[in-house]
Amino acid sequence: MPSEAQPPAQATTPPNFWGDMPEEEYYSSQGVRNKKSYFETPDGKLFTQSFLPLDPQQPIKGTVYMSHGYGSDTGWLFQKICINYANWGYAVFAADLLGHGRSEGIRCYLGDMNKIAAASLYFFKSVRNSDEYKELPAFLFGESMGGLATLLMYFQSEPNTWTGLIFSAPLFVIPEPMKPSKARLFMYGLLFGLADTWAAMPDNKMVGKAIKDPEKLKIIASNPRRYTGPPRVGTMRELLRMTEYVQNNFDKVTTPFLTVHGTSDGVTCPTGSKMLYEKASSSDKTLKLYDGMYHSLIQGEPDENANLVLADMRAWIDERAQKYGPKK
């Protein structure tokens, strides 16, 4: 008798973007030590990671505290940014934002951005003020929507907490095609907050607008923790509100900063980086614009483009780490 036809085998997603290699082996091959843990904050539990140079005897130049973008997390391709900074001699600490990755919260619900920023800041400051790192230069890093969260963390911090700020394609200005309809938000607002967590806003397919390299797009799209649902009502309302807030407070930025943006970014406006540069009160400020590059400058561009951005970031942070620290 003919054998019964078997259904095709289901493809399984590897646990990590690099495949099935054990994590410790992969991180060692990249020249770093990685540690994962959960951290309790007053606003919720965060999934956190650290990336340190592989050689424990290597002197640490400073600390860097990293925040990822909307729908992402620290555990897929974003960690390649962390690994690069650790390879340059920095101790890197990253946390999944509330509502993202393995942290607590409704998936991709950003109903209170100040609360979300405060949760990550609570973790970052616990490391920044620790005996091991308190004398070293300390930098906040934010990519995309994480850049908005990073600026809010800066506004919530005591003066002189941070040596510098680094922004990669920060969400300070929402492009017109990406803006939520104020009429739609108003209608949902009539439901007295009941609709705030609804995933009911138009989805403008941000990932396709963010990634230039098609092979890297496939890898990013395969992230099992990436949020793929429609934007939530409260998320879009809050992003609109908070981008307007930071635009009105750029002049309160006095810390050295670097902001980088691709001129062909279809997800966050390069105008936001330009506005920050023009309005900030910092005496040490740097704006880098990359002609023709998309939104995801490090994870989504061809390697030669990503390496150009990374080289500019390394030159900037190395100069400030040497100039401004460590504390005596």
Side-chain angles (χ1 to χ4, degrees), residues 52-227:
L52 304 177
L54 189 60
D55 180 2
Q57 303 304 314
Q58 180 178 340
I60 299 295
K61 299 176 183 177
T63 53
V64 186
Y65 304 87
M66 296 198 170
S67 298
H68 59 80
Y70 173 85
S72 183
D73 70 315
T74 63
W76 205 248
L77 275 191
F78 182 82
Q79 65 186 315
K80 297 206 68 159
I81 306 174
C82 305
I83 290 169
N84 273 284
Y85 276 74
N87 286 158
W88 304 339
Y90 294 90
V92 178
F93 301 88
D96 289 358
L97 296 167
L98 286 178
H100 289 73
R102 284 169 272 188
S103 290
E104 287 185 344
I106 299 171
R107 297 300 85 188
C108 264
Y109 175 58
L110 307 172
D112 185 344
M113 280 294 294
N114 273 315
K115 173 181 171 181
I116 286 164
S120 291
L121 180 62
Y122 192 85
F123 166 62
F124 291 159
K125 286 176 65 177
S126 74
V127 180
R128 197 267 180 277
N129 295 327
S130 66
D131 290 342
E132 187 173 4
Y133 297 116
K134 64 184 179 182
E135 305 300 332
L136 291 177
F139 301 85
L140 287 175
F141 176 104
E143 180 184 56
S144 190
M145 187 267 292
L148 176 61
T150 292
L151 191 52
L152 295 177
M153 291 180 218
Y154 171 74
F155 288 147
Q156 293 176 17
S157 300
E158 298 82 4
N160 304 315
T161 300
W162 307 108
T163 308
L165 310 173
I166 304 170
F167 301 104
S168 179
L171 178 62
F172 297 150
V173 174
I174 303 174
E176 286 301 323
M178 305 292 291
K179 277 188 177 180
S181 162
K182 289 190 176 181
R184 185 186 291 261
L185 289 175
F186 175 76
M187 286 191 295
Y188 283 130
L190 296 177
L191 298 175
F192 303 103
L194 293 175
D196 217 48
T197 61
W198 291 2
M201 299 300 288
D203 185 357
N204 288 302
K205 306 299 180 187
M206 288 186 288
V207 171
K209 301 177 193 297
I211 312 299
K212 180 184 287 185
D213 187 302
E215 292 305 312
K216 293 181 178 179
L217 175 58
K218 291 178 186 176
I219 296 172
I220 289 174
S222 68
N223 180 359
R225 289 181 295 273
R226 185 174 69 87
Y227 178 73

Side-chain angles (χ1 to χ4, degrees), residues 113 144-145 147-149 151-152 155 170-175 179-180 235-250 267-269 272 275 279:
M113 280 294 294
S144 190
M145 187 267 292
L148 176 61
L151 191 52
L152 295 177
F155 288 147
L171 178 62
F172 297 150
V173 174
I174 303 174
K179 277 188 177 180
T235 294
M236 298 310 293
R237 168 191 51 73
E238 185 70 349
L239 291 179
L240 188 63
R241 185 176 77 91
M242 295 313 295
T243 51
E244 291 176 354
Y245 169 79
V246 296
Q247 290 168 32
N248 292 329
N249 287 276
F250 281 153
V267 178
T268 65
C269 271
M275 288 173 62
K279 294 184 177 182

Side-chain angles (χ1 to χ4, degrees), residues 310-326:
L310 287 167
D312 286 341
M313 286 182 172
R314 182 175 188 177
W316 187 91
I317 194 173
D318 280 351
E319 183 178 341
R320 272 74 194 171
Q322 185 173 17
K323 180 178 180 180
Y324 297 116

